[in-house]
Amino acid sequence: MKSHSAIRFRNVLLTCCSATLWGSPPASGQIQVTDLSTLTPQALAQEIAGNGMTISNVQFNQPGATAAAGKFTGGNAIIGFGTGVILSSGSAANISSTVNQSPSTTDTLGLPGDADLDGIAAPYSTQDAIVLEFDFIPNDDRVSFDFVFASEEYNEFVGSSYNDVFGFFVNGVNCALVGPNGDPVTINTVNFNQNVQLYQNNDPFDPPFRQTSHQLEADGFTKVLTATATVTPNVVNHVRFAIADTTDQQFDSWVMIRTDSFQVGDPVVVTKTAANPTSSPGGANAYTITLTNQANTAHTLTEIEDFLPAGFTYTAGSTTGITTANPSVSGRTLTWTGPFVIPALGSAQLNFNVTVSPISGTYYNSALARGNAPIVPSGDTAPITIAHPNPLK
């Protein structure tokens, strides 16, 4: 039996490798879940793949566990994207909350584990495994998708045997990997301990980790990651999205997969730089978003988004580059609406000015795009350090 009085932690150094980090905006609203009591596994698979990809042989490993999977809405300001598919080792709907109300939310499914996930969790074994899988025929040799992993196992069971896991298996090989060593996505490899840009704490119960800023039941969750994998073009390939508890069936974990994000082909890579690494409080600075197309064909983007740091504001009329139109502004989110054509093996830039925060500190910015190609977002980058010219005042 788990006990919150027994806490053990392990140092883990993480960087993104096959999974790429997005930044995400601040929380507001609440996630809503519609589960398989009213949906079909086919609907979930198509939600991930989008209307432009043909899929077949859709399977859901536990047809009786209708509460463990579904679609969600309302996630944009909480996890970094608005809609998608959710899979859980307990109840999918348990992720939804206006505030984290419990350190141990649990729906025990009474289900077995999964052999592929056992390979990740070894030497421990998995239980309450939920798996969505399907076939597809790609016309290119690369596939990617965007996801967030969340869990009630955070933070007190980091480094323990209760190492809940998520796997993205392409033709039997797990491709949801992070870090320089290609670590799988688990409680013990993605957590609060180091590289805070990978992990978001949401735990109000365990000092010194108290935090209640996200309207989500999970005690912790990753920022948005992009998993990539090599596939064989023009033949049937098989993918499995799988999540499970490890060692016991207590404390739910979730994976949320962005709508239409399962895409084939070489990506458009988004990078972000600041004009100046330092600014005075409330002063002016500028950002450049660079969009690099790694494909041999042109890609069309429908939107470019930027998530401003807290206290930063956009300077009206300052946009130059691929467009000169002002973005729409919603809170700290700037959105430029296309179409924007990025030439084959080429790049484009978008530049704009900002007024920085009046509060001292180092601020990071992130950007992303949407369109007819896989997108690798910038992650939290482009640091600007704001220092008062006279710190004694």
Side-chain angles (χ1 to χ4, degrees):
M1 179 68 69
K2 295 177 179 176
S3 169
H4 284 269
S5 63
I7 304 175
R8 183 161 58 96
F9 302 109
R10 181 174 71 186
N11 291 329
V12 181
L13 178 63
L14 293 170
T15 59
C16 290
C17 183
S18 291
T20 305
L21 174 68
W22 287 25
S24 60
S28 65
Q30 185 174 353
I31 287 176
Q32 300 294 329
V33 174
T34 303
D35 66 28
L36 285 178
S37 62
T38 57
L39 298 171
T40 65
Q42 178 75 33
L44 302 192
Q46 200 64 62
E47 183 80 8
I48 296 170
N51 295 325
M53 181 179 293
T54 300
I55 61 175
S56 61
N57 190 29
V58 176
Q59 302 173 51
F60 181 66
N61 71 324
Q62 298 293 342
T66 58
K71 295 182 183 181
F72 71 88
T73 60
N76 187 58
I78 302 173
I79 63 169
F81 53 87
T83 64
V85 168
I86 183 168
L87 307 177
S88 176
S89 62
S91 168
N94 280 348
I95 194 73
S96 179
S97 184
T98 56
V99 65
N100 189 350
Q101 302 180 61
S102 170
S104 55
T105 300
T106 299
D107 265 15
T108 298
L109 302 177
L111 300 175
D114 177 79
D116 285 341
L117 292 178
D118 284 344
I120 296 175
Y124 310 108
S125 59
T126 59
Q127 300 187 53
D128 277 352
I130 294 297
V131 183
L132 178 69
E133 52 191 310
F134 56 84
D135 293 335
F136 70 104
I137 300 177
N139 59 8
D140 209 323
D141 63 357
R142 184 166 174 161
V143 68
S144 63
F145 77 99
D146 307 323
F147 70 99
V148 165
F149 174 73
S151 183
E152 286 287 76
E153 301 288 357
Y154 293 120
N155 288 293
E156 64 270 33
F157 295 107
V158 170
S160 77
S161 63
Y162 305 113
N163 186 32
D164 290 6
V165 296
F166 166 67
F168 168 57
F169 299 94
V170 179
N171 302 321
V173 178
N174 180 34
C175 298
L177 304 173
V178 294
N181 298 319
D183 296 319
V185 177
T186 74
I187 300 300
N188 287 346
T189 59
V190 184
N191 54 59
F192 62 88
N193 213 11
Q194 293 190 28
N195 287 345
V196 67
Q197 71 275 15
L198 254 179
Y199 174 68
Q200 301 209 78
N201 180 37
N202 192 41
D203 191 342
F205 306 102
D206 298 303
F209 307 104
R210 298 186 189 280
Q211 184 170 321
T212 58
S213 62
H214 302 282
Q215 292 171 305
L216 206 68
E217 184 56 42
D219 286 355
F221 58 105
T222 70
K223 291 188 177 180
V224 184
L225 301 175
T226 299
T228 62
T230 299
V231 294
T232 305
N234 305 314
V235 300
V236 174
N237 289 253
H238 189 73
V239 294
R240 307 178 82 232
F241 301 87
I243 191 168
D245 292 325
T246 297
T247 300
D248 67 3
Q249 297 178 332
Q250 297 181 44
F251 296 14
D252 293 351
S253 290
W254 303 265
V255 63
M256 290 161 281
I257 303 163
R258 182 165 72 88
T259 295
D260 293 353
S261 67
F262 187 74
Q263 299 191 43
V264 173
D266 290 313
V268 171
V269 178
V270 183
T271 55
K272 188 70 184 290
T273 56
N276 297 297
T278 60
S279 284
S280 59
N285 210 318
Y287 288 115
T288 295
I289 300 173
T290 301
L291 308 146
T292 303
N293 184 3
Q294 297 185 348
N296 290 314
T297 58
H299 282 313
T300 300
L301 305 180
T302 57
E303 290 182 335
I304 301 170
E305 283 191 355
D306 184 90
F307 303 121
L308 290 177
F312 282 49
T313 58
Y314 169 74
T315 302
S318 67
T319 298
T320 61
I322 198 171
T323 181
T324 57
N326 283 318
S328 62
V329 181
S330 177
R332 286 157 46 192
T333 302
L334 310 180
T335 303
W336 290 266
T337 301
F340 306 116
V341 177
I342 314 300
L345 301 176
S347 64
Q349 290 187 332
L350 186 151
N351 315 290
F352 63 97
N353 299 338
V354 294
T355 299
V356 305
S357 171
I359 301 174
S360 298
T362 298
Y363 295 79
Y364 295 84
N365 184 278
S366 61
L368 61 92
R370 296 184 177 89
N372 70 343
I375 306 294
V376 177
S378 71
D380 284 342
T381 185
I384 294 176
T385 298
I386 300 170
H388 198 285
N390 185 349
L392 298 179
K393 292 185 177 180

